[in-house]
Amino acid sequence: MNATPVIDKAPTPDTVNQKLGARNFLQAKLQQSLAFGTLVVLLVFFSLASNNFFTWSNISGILLSTAVIGILALGTTFVIITGGIDLSIGTGMTLAAVMTGVFLVNMQLPLIVGVIGGIATGALMGFINGFNIAVLRLPPFIATLAMMMIAQGLALVISGVRPIYFSSVPGFKAIALGTIIPGLPNAVLILFVLAIVAYLVLSKTIVGRYTFAIGSNEEATRLSGVDTRKWKIIIYTVAGVFTGIAGVVIASRLDSAQPQLGSGYELQAIAAVIIGGTSLLGGRGSIMGTVIGALIMSVLINGLRIMSIQTEWQNVVVGAVILVAVFTDSLRQRRSGS
């Protein structure tokens, strides 16, 4: 008698997540603890190194700078968990800020319409990135590098290489610098609210489940019947929404759209995500870790400036931190056998 062949069923996204869930949870918690410990050490060190560091005005400045980097990093967390990368978030943020200026200043549209238009600009860039990666099969590095250059060029062309000032737009500056909660700038409040939303989306929704599933094993996810191309487009679009919000926030904070701003923000955001425990190989990450990582980057940069370290050496230190973070992630992957 011929034995009936046994056909193994492809694992579902939930099965993939269950197998990796316990290990990823423990690793994420460990990385979060290490990141939090690093943050505490930096705060203590810079407090001892300079009397001007632990003042409310400086702490407020750190939180404000963290808001922009943190919002960018929240969206980038989704992308990196899938095993992708997005190099366009810095210049994309700038283009979103410029388009917000065009809508509010040049076209004189209502405040809410202009803000939505700026956010939609980021979402559109994310959608195009996702389409190029998922449908056209372009490598994420190349697709987002191209978008980075396109966004940078469009920001300069549309603005005429001149800043767009929002002084004539009532209420726009209050988006970032107003205070719904006394003593807490709205930009920081926006970061905290978005962090909660991102956490809920990543941990409680189908978007989050498929984000982890694609990063853990995209082929198994596809074989289980999931349209991974569609979900990649959705995930990159979600990341683009965060880029658009960051553009509105930084434009409000500066009370202007600076078309030459944005370059380098993507590296700080990616570094914050990696420092927070998200793996560059995909499949693991957390929103809490990303927020801690963003705080570490802001505290480090601010502390170096407070100590009057030259900009060139600041770049050296930040670059070294990125190298250490990536090396640590690689080492952790090898030890875990991922």
Side-chain angles (χ1 to χ4, degrees):
M1 296 179 63
N2 295 330
T4 303
V6 178
I7 301 176
D8 293 333
K9 293 183 178 180
T12 65
D14 287 337
T15 302
V16 173
N17 286 338
Q18 288 171 4
K19 289 182 178 179
L20 297 174
R23 185 188 65 185
N24 287 349
F25 178 79
L26 292 175
Q27 290 181 342
K29 287 298 180 182
L30 175 60
Q31 183 62 25
Q32 286 179 28
S33 299
L34 292 173
F36 183 75
T38 301
L39 177 61
V40 171
V41 169
L42 286 175
L43 289 171
V44 172
F45 173 77
F46 287 124
S47 298
L48 296 175
S50 174
N51 294 329
N52 296 324
F53 180 80
F54 227 100
T55 61
W56 175 244
S57 60
N58 189 56
I59 295 300
S60 179
I62 291 174
L63 291 175
L64 276 174
S65 62
T66 303
V68 175
I69 296 174
I71 292 170
L72 289 175
L74 290 175
T76 306
T77 303
F78 286 83
V79 170
I80 295 181
I81 289 176
T82 67
I85 197 74
D86 191 349
L87 300 177
S88 66
I89 55 176
T91 57
M93 175 188 71
T94 301
L95 180 58
V98 168
M99 290 306 300
T100 303
V102 170
F103 294 138
L104 292 179
V105 178
N106 297 358
M107 300 175 64
Q108 297 184 343
L109 296 176
L111 179 62
I112 185 64
V113 175
V115 168
I116 292 174
I119 297 173
T121 300
L124 177 61
M125 287 186 291
F127 174 84
I128 295 173
N129 281 335
F131 180 86
N132 289 337
I133 293 166
V135 178
L136 301 185
R137 304 291 186 180
L138 297 180
F141 183 90
I142 299 300
T144 58
L145 177 63
M147 179 57 70
M148 178 183 74
M149 299 176 69
I150 291 170
Q152 185 178 47
L154 286 176
L156 293 170
V157 170
I158 293 172
S159 65
V161 201
R162 294 188 301 270
I164 301 176
Y165 295 98
F166 294 92
S167 54
S168 62
V169 182
F172 183 75
K173 191 173 182 178
I175 292 176
L177 300 181
T179 53
I180 295 177
I181 299 177
L184 186 70
N186 286 342
V188 181
L189 180 61
I190 291 172
L191 170 61
F192 291 158
V193 170
L194 289 178
I196 294 172
V197 172
Y199 168 79
L200 293 175
V201 171
L202 195 58
S203 62
K204 304 295 183 182
T205 71
I206 191 172
V207 176
R209 290 199 299 274
Y210 286 164
T211 298
F212 281 107
I214 290 172
S216 298
N217 193 327
E218 182 176 351
E219 183 63 13
T221 304
R222 185 184 67 80
L223 291 175
S224 70
V226 176
D227 188 349
T228 55
R229 292 189 301 177
K230 180 188 76 173
W231 285 103
K232 271 191 173 183
I233 293 174
I234 291 174
I235 291 164
Y236 274 87
T237 302
V238 168
V241 170
F242 284 94
T243 300
I245 295 173
V248 173
V249 169
I250 196 170
S252 174
R253 176 187 165 192
L254 300 175
D255 204 23
S256 64
Q258 302 287 336
Q260 296 178 338
L261 187 69
S263 180
Y265 275 79
E266 67 281 346
L267 298 180
Q268 294 183 36
I270 292 171
V273 175
I274 302 305
I275 291 171
T278 299
S279 173
L280 276 173
L281 298 180
R284 185 176 70 249
S286 70
I287 296 300
M288 178 61 71
T290 292
V291 173
I292 295 173
L295 284 168
I296 288 174
M297 293 300 299
S298 296
V299 168
L300 179 62
I301 293 171
N302 179 272
L304 293 173
R305 289 174 180 170
I306 288 288
M307 294 177 64
S308 300
I309 303 297
Q310 294 180 350
T311 303
E312 295 81 2
W313 283 107
Q314 292 179 28
N315 293 335
V316 170
V317 173
V318 172
V321 169
I322 295 173
L323 279 175
V324 170
V326 174
F327 173 75
T328 302
D329 175 65
S330 177
L331 185 64
R332 186 169 57 243
Q333 291 287 344
R334 291 198 297 268
R335 287 181 175 178
S336 64
S338 298

